Amino acid sequence: MSIAKMISAHPGVAGDVNEPLALAVRHALFCSAICTSCADACLAENMVEEMRQCIRACLDCADVCEATARVATRRTGSNEIVLCETLQLCVTACDVCAEECARHHHEHCRICAEMCRESARDCRAALEAM
């Protein structure tokens, strides 16, 4: 199943799906899950004290990505200002998390940084398509 199919099934969309936005939603959902998993893995590291900022960045990013996906999948009516601001906040949260994760040499942090960069890129593309 795909996000784009669900959005295109909405009566207010009539098959005219903003593909960059649908991709940003999909990757924001993935990013939320991966950031949550990375935060949990950071808690399991022996140096949890040194991972505190990484855990915070991951959890903040997960929440912002989740909220972005929820706002962006709503198609009834219009709230473009909030949608654009939410997408921009997602870019910021993903950039901050990617930068923090990149400071660590754990595989889970590497994967998380990569997903955050991808999600930020897709949110930027969605903003450009608006």
Side-chain angles (χ1 to χ4, degrees):
M1 189 52 58
S2 79
I3 298 294
K5 283 182 186 179
M6 186 62 195
I7 293 171
S8 70
H10 189 286
V13 174
D16 186 24
V17 177
N18 178 334
E19 291 293 335
L21 182 60
L23 185 61
V25 167
R26 181 174 185 225
H27 287 160
L29 289 170
F30 289 160
C31 194
S32 178
I34 287 172
C35 285
T36 300
S37 181
C38 186
D40 185 63
C42 288
L43 285 169
E45 293 293 345
N46 289 332
M47 61 244 221
V48 72
E49 217 31 61
E50 291 85 6
M51 301 304 293
R52 182 178 299 212
Q53 189 57 39
C54 192
I55 294 165
R56 174 61 190 259
C58 285
L59 293 176
D60 287 351
C61 189
D63 288 346
V64 169
C65 284
E66 186 75 28
T68 300
R70 286 194 312 268
V71 168
T73 56
R74 295 183 188 130
R75 301 289 76 200
T76 300
S78 177
N79 202 349
E80 214 169 292
I81 293 170
V82 170
L83 175 57
C84 288
E85 292 296 324
T86 305
L87 286 166
Q88 185 56 58
L89 177 59
C90 194
V91 168
T92 301
C94 287
D95 285 346
V96 166
C97 189
E99 185 176 317
E100 179 59 35
C101 281
R103 294 180 56 236
H104 306 283
H105 300 291
H106 307 292
E107 181 64 6
H108 55 85
C109 287
R110 186 196 65 74
I111 292 167
C112 188
E114 184 179 330
M115 184 71 246
C116 286
R117 286 185 202 105
E118 188 172 343
S119 184
R121 183 192 68 227
D122 293 337
C123 286
R124 283 184 188 98
L127 279 165
E128 291 171 11
M130 302 277 305

